[in-house]
Amino acid sequence: MEDIKARGELLNTLLAELAEEIGTVLKGKQRDKLSQAERRMYVRATFATIEAWIYVMKQMALAWHPDPKCPTISEAERAFAQEQEYRLTDSGDVEIRRTKISLETNLRFGFKLMAKSGSIPSELDVSGSEWQSFRRAIKIRDRITHPKSVSDLNISDEDYNDVSVGFGWVLISHAKLVTAIVLKAKNEAG
């Protein structure tokens, strides 16, 4: 139990540090007062936070079901939660590698795994405009991370809005998931 608590504190520290980074970039400024460099830093910091949030969700799910023989989380799910994949080398040895999962797929997996570990149905709502903003925000992040021209570095007001709405959607969706897990646990406890 102490290990889970210590791990939780480390993960909380990670998220707090990233949230502070977003706050540092914004410095209380309105969107129209941010320079292009500050807008790009905001996008990068926001996506670093989303990536960390997904990692934390997967680690929470594993912490709730630490036994590898636990039927709740399959061996394959456990490997993907640890971002590992297995392959055979030409010599017949098993090699463990870090797997690359697209952000969109990883987000959906993180939510499904956490819901599954909390014994609730996965309810990530990808039907609304916020999901579409999130998907566009991924393209914006990719564009500024791998620019091919100076114009690729420009973050328009619409781009900024998509990143902010997408980020808010992730946070709200996570809060809904955690609330559902807590309510289920409370109902089961009596």
Side-chain angles (χ1 to χ4, degrees), residues 142-150 152-153:
D142 292 347
R143 185 186 77 221
I144 68 164
T145 305
H146 307 287
K148 306 293 183 261
S149 68
V150 173
D152 286 345
L153 298 174

Side-chain angles (χ1 to χ4, degrees), residues 11 55-65 114 117 174:
L11 295 173
Y55 176 77
V56 167
M57 290 171 59
K58 294 186 299 188
Q59 297 314 301
M60 287 172 64
L62 293 178
W64 292 340
H65 300 277
M114 191 168 170
S117 71
H174 181 264

Side-chain angles (χ1 to χ4, degrees), residues 75 85-97:
E75 193 175 325
E85 67 181 352
Y86 301 89
R87 75 173 202 95
L88 285 175
T89 64
D90 291 339
S91 62
D93 295 322
V94 175
E95 179 180 85
I96 301 173
R97 296 188 306 185

